Amino acid sequence: MSRILMVDVARAAGVSKATASLILTNRAPEKFSPATVTRVREAARKLGYFVAPDPVGALSEKRIAFCCNEPGPAQGFYGQSYAALKTICDVMAIRLDIVTVPWSKDSGRDEPATALRARLHSDRPDGAIVAGYLCESVSLLQAECIPTVMIGDMYMPEVPCAAVQQDNFRGGYLAARHLLERGHRRLAFLGYRKCGVYWLQRLAGFLQAADECGIPAENLVIQDTDIRDELVDDFTPRKFRAADRPTGVVAVNATLAVYFMENCRRLGLAIPE
């Protein structure tokens, strides 16, 4: 008699192999109706396929807190991060809770005392994923001895915490190389100080690429300011209407790139040109 495989159980139960796998390994049986779960388990029993013990046990009691700025992971970086984590937690039968943290525009820091502290005392998580520049939140979680990992593009040396971050230097380097390899020899780098440390890392990568290609300093324009609107309104006409204007631009992020492109179109400057 040939060995019974997962696909044999799925065929007998009338479900996909993925569904049978999720149910029989107890990774996400709650996603399916009781009738489907029973049918798959019964098919496995009749065929002599090993059925994992039920219930899941301690694994299903695990909780992970996803901490981010208000209003929450609706879109963009927060949304993508949450969606990825939710998929993993669903497969592993771990509960993923969203904890939004107020942000003070005046201090430029998060204020987690009310929302986060209350959550920790009422429904303490087993671990936390912190998205964004939330120094105070990380400190609070660590004080409560909750395992914490940060994700994002902000380098925070003042917060000793495990982190998964973007390689900002590499990003600036590759963006500049892309333009240089296409023949551009006059480049501009657009940034603003409120981006934090990561814009300096991307600028360093930009300058490294230019140096490797022998681009002289006079062919590079580095622009930074504290106010994005002033940067775009002032930078575009002054630098890009000259005969020796840059022909390639690296923006520190997508937001600034959009501001810059809109302003160029308003001034009648074609992109690309």
Side-chain angles (χ1 to χ4, degrees), residues 5 91 256:
L5 303 176
V91 169
L256 188 54

Side-chain angles (χ1 to χ4, degrees), residues 115-136:
L116 186 54
R117 197 182 299 276
R119 175 62 69 87
L120 294 180
H121 290 168
S122 65
D123 194 9
R124 181 185 177 87
D126 296 283
I129 306 293
V130 178
Y133 194 75
L134 302 178
C135 296
E136 303 300 328

Side-chain angles (χ1 to χ4, degrees), residues 216-236:
E218 58 267 25
N219 283 19
L220 302 176
V221 176
I222 313 300
Q223 180 74 30
D224 74 274
T225 184
D226 286 328
I227 303 174
R228 285 172 289 180
D229 289 342
E230 283 186 2
L231 183 155
V232 176
D233 291 341
D234 175 64
F235 178 85
T236 305

Side-chain angles (χ1 to χ4, degrees), residues 26 76 84 112 199 210 232 240 250 269 272:
N26 274 322
W199 88 268
V232 176
F240 275 70
V250 174
L269 298 175

Side-chain angles (χ1 to χ4, degrees), residues 140-198:
L140 179 56
L141 289 162
Q142 291 180 329
E144 294 287 336
C145 298
I146 295 174
T148 303
V149 175
M150 298 177 61
I151 57 175
D153 56 14
M154 294 294 190
Y155 173 66
M156 296 186 290
E158 71 274 20
V159 182
C161 179
V164 178
Q165 298 176 324
Q166 299 174 172
D167 188 340
N168 290 305
F169 178 92
R170 187 67 174 170
Y173 177 87
L174 291 176
R177 288 288 305 193
H178 173 79
L179 294 172
L180 291 165
E181 289 172 0
R182 280 153 181 76
H184 296 279
R185 289 297 178 265
R186 294 191 301 276
L187 302 180
F189 182 90
L190 306 184
Y192 55 96
R193 296 185 185 96
K194 286 188 178 180
C195 290
V197 175
Y198 84 83

Side-chain angles (χ1 to χ4, degrees), residues 4-214:
I4 301 300
L5 303 176
M6 183 74 73
V7 67
D8 299 318
V9 177
R11 187 181 299 114
V15 299
S16 67
K17 180 181 176 182
T19 296
S21 176
L22 289 172
I23 292 174
L24 294 178
T25 57
N26 274 322
R27 286 181 292 171
E30 72 282 357
K31 295 179 66 175
F32 308 99
S33 69
T36 300
V37 173
T38 300
R39 191 168 70 252
V40 171
R41 291 188 181 280
E42 184 63 13
R45 186 188 65 79
K46 289 181 178 180
L47 292 172
Y49 189 89
F50 172 75
V51 180
D54 193 23
V56 176
L59 183 61
S60 63
E61 299 301 319
K62 294 290 185 181
R63 290 199 220 32
I64 300 294
F66 179 79
C67 305
C68 62
N69 294 94
E70 292 180 339
Q75 57 185 355
F77 170 70
Y78 295 150
Q80 294 169 358
S81 300
Y82 176 77
L85 288 168
K86 185 70 167 60
T87 299
I88 295 171
C89 287
D90 284 348
V91 169
M92 299 183 68
I94 296 175
R95 185 173 128 193
L96 182 63
D97 296 330
I98 299 174
V99 180
T100 56
V101 179
W103 177 270
S104 172
K105 292 184 179 179
D106 295 330
S107 65
R109 301 183 75 85
D110 51 317
E111 299 178 344
T114 302
L116 186 54
R117 197 182 299 276
R119 175 62 69 87
L120 294 180
H121 290 168
S122 65
D123 194 9
R124 181 185 177 87
D126 296 283
I129 306 293
V130 178
Y133 194 75
L134 302 178
C135 296
E136 303 300 328
S137 298
V138 171
S139 297
L140 179 56
L141 289 162
Q142 291 180 329
E144 294 287 336
C145 298
I146 295 174
T148 303
V149 175
M150 298 177 61
I151 57 175
D153 56 14
M154 294 294 190
Y155 173 66
M156 296 186 290
E158 71 274 20
V159 182
C161 179
V164 178
Q165 298 176 324
Q166 299 174 172
D167 188 340
N168 290 305
F169 178 92
R170 187 67 174 170
Y173 177 87
L174 291 176
R177 288 288 305 193
H178 173 79
L179 294 172
L180 291 165
E181 289 172 0
R182 280 153 181 76
H184 296 279
R185 289 297 178 265
R186 294 191 301 276
L187 302 180
F189 182 90
L190 306 184
Y192 55 96
R193 296 185 185 96
K194 286 188 178 180
C195 290
V197 175
Y198 84 83
W199 88 268
L200 291 174
Q201 296 169 337
R202 295 178 184 181
L203 173 59
F206 170 89
L207 293 174
Q208 177 68 30
D211 181 65
E212 289 180 2
C213 292

